[in-house]
Amino acid sequence: MQRSFLDYLTITLKGMAMGAADVVPGVSGGTIAFISGIYEELIDTISGVDLSLIKTWKNKGLSAFWTQLNGNFIVALFTGILISVFTLMRLTNYLLETYPVLIWSFFFGLVLASIWYVGKQIPKWNFKIVIALIAGAGAALYVTSLPPMGSTDSLLYMLLAGALAVCAMILPGISGAFILVLLGAYKTVTQAAHNFDFKTIGIVAVGAVIGLLSFSKVLKWLFAHYTNLTLAVLTGFIAGSLNKIWPWKKILETAQYGDKEVVLKETSVLPWNFEGDSQLLFSIILMVAGFGLIFLLESLADTKPEKSNATN
């Protein structure tokens, strides 16, 4: 498709929104990709990375290769993600540490509205759709309530951790960083990055590439053949993740990874049972703001998720 400079600038802004979400534990960049209208194009683009690209480059030249790769889209999107990661990560971490209830309230409103947004893409609801929704919600709720596993330094395990984490990252509702915590690999990965352990980083990166390329093909197939059921499961995933980002928590167990403290176990409580200032009024205001942001992102969307003619 032909796009203008403004179109690619908009994609970069969406990438920045994805990057901002990815640096928050418990919030998925995949959710932002979906509600901003680029999720299926992202999945199609990633799944299209295969050996045929080399053949196209050899037989038709660099221009045809770049077009088949959807290179302009990739560059625009990942430029936004990288800008956000390197500029907003410190700010996001500061805000989460200083104003946790308020920031989580904003994200809760955003994710809550995204349930409505993804769900409304399903044109006709039936019994199978409802079951798929419940199954997705149950799976996400189960995953987010699992206790973290013990840390391991096995390179094969780190390869698997990288693959699973990146799969979670492109699934709306599931955080890749949270998956690393569950697998007991978060400490190893963060220490490797801090110590410039390129061997470990490289293994995790290889796992991430393998997971991304393979899982994107699975998602593409599901969207092509079972669009409505896939949308229902994704809606359930997002709904099931709400417990993870509920603003009022009682922390039961934490772990210190270098200079970063990570919560291992916590439970949701009602605002009036929260130990400390619940900041209820401002929290509600920020929830509404997060909810409203979904409508802004929807207005920026270039395309809506395509409906399949598959029977679901």
Side-chain angles (χ1 to χ4, degrees):
M1 69 179 71
Q2 287 288 90
R3 284 183 166 130
S4 65
F5 174 78
L6 184 59
D7 292 331
Y8 286 116
L9 180 61
T10 302
I11 292 172
T12 299
L13 292 175
K14 294 174 181 179
M16 291 180 67
M18 286 180 63
D22 278 327
V23 301
V24 178
V27 180
S28 171
T31 302
I32 304 299
F34 203 105
I35 60 182
S36 62
I38 60 172
Y39 188 75
E40 287 197 53
E41 181 175 1
L42 175 61
I43 297 301
D44 287 343
T45 299
I46 295 172
S47 65
V49 177
D50 54 31
L51 294 177
S52 68
L53 286 168
I54 299 176
K55 185 177 179 181
T56 299
W57 190 352
K58 181 179 178 180
N59 296 335
K60 298 182 180 180
L62 182 60
S63 178
F65 163 84
W66 191 252
T67 300
Q68 183 179 332
L69 180 64
N70 200 8
N72 289 342
F73 171 81
I74 292 176
V75 170
L77 184 67
F78 280 89
T79 296
I81 292 174
L82 290 175
I83 289 173
S84 193
V85 167
F86 285 109
T87 60
L88 296 181
M89 180 179 288
R90 192 176 297 274
L91 174 62
T92 303
N93 288 336
Y94 168 77
L95 291 175
L96 282 171
E97 291 173 4
T98 310
Y99 309 103
V101 172
L102 296 179
I103 300 305
W104 284 121
S105 295
F106 174 78
F107 279 111
F108 187 87
L110 188 150
V111 175
L112 184 65
S114 69
I115 297 172
W116 161 81
Y117 177 83
V118 179
K120 79 170 188 172
Q121 309 301 322
I122 303 172
K124 186 177 180 180
W125 287 75
N126 55 40
F127 181 73
K128 288 193 296 184
I129 298 296
V130 173
I131 293 299
L133 173 72
I134 294 172
L141 188 61
Y142 174 72
V143 169
T144 56
S145 63
L146 285 173
M149 297 172 62
S151 181
T152 177
D153 295 328
S154 164
L155 293 181
L156 182 60
Y157 188 81
M158 296 309 298
L159 183 78
L160 176 63
L164 291 176
V166 80
C167 289
M169 199 170 290
I170 61 174
L171 268 180
I174 302 291
S175 164
F178 178 68
I179 294 299
L180 287 178
V181 172
L182 285 182
L183 294 173
Y186 187 87
K187 180 178 181 179
T188 304
V189 172
T190 54
Q191 285 183 340
H194 183 268
N195 298 329
F196 298 100
D197 179 359
F198 294 111
K199 182 179 180 180
T200 301
I201 294 172
I203 290 294
V204 174
V206 169
V209 170
I210 293 172
L212 191 63
L213 294 180
S214 57
F215 190 58
S216 62
K217 293 183 186 299
V218 173
L219 282 175
K220 182 178 180 179
W221 185 87
L222 288 172
F223 270 111
H225 295 86
Y226 301 100
T227 307
N228 293 339
L229 285 175
T230 303
L231 288 172
V233 172
L234 293 180
T235 304
F237 265 119
I238 300 172
S241 71
L242 283 176
N243 178 60
K244 180 65 182 173
I245 57 174
W246 177 250
W248 297 280
K249 297 281 190 180
K250 181 179 180 181
I251 297 175
L252 303 176
E253 184 180 352
T254 62
Q256 193 72 31
Y257 296 151
D259 60 352
K260 188 176 182 65
E261 186 177 55
V262 175
V263 175
L264 298 181
K265 190 175 181 181
E266 60 188 359
T267 184
S268 299
V269 297
L270 294 172
W272 40 88
N273 293 330
F274 181 69
E275 296 178 357
D277 186 0
S278 66
Q279 300 173 284
L280 186 58
L281 176 60
F282 288 110
S283 295
I284 292 174
I285 292 173
L286 283 170
M287 279 186 188
V288 173
F291 199 95
L293 180 60
I294 297 303
F295 296 94
L296 175 61
L297 290 173
E298 181 182 5
S299 70
L300 293 175
D302 294 325
T303 58
K304 301 292 183 185
E306 296 178 2
K307 303 294 188 296
S308 169
N309 293 323
T311 302
N312 300 326

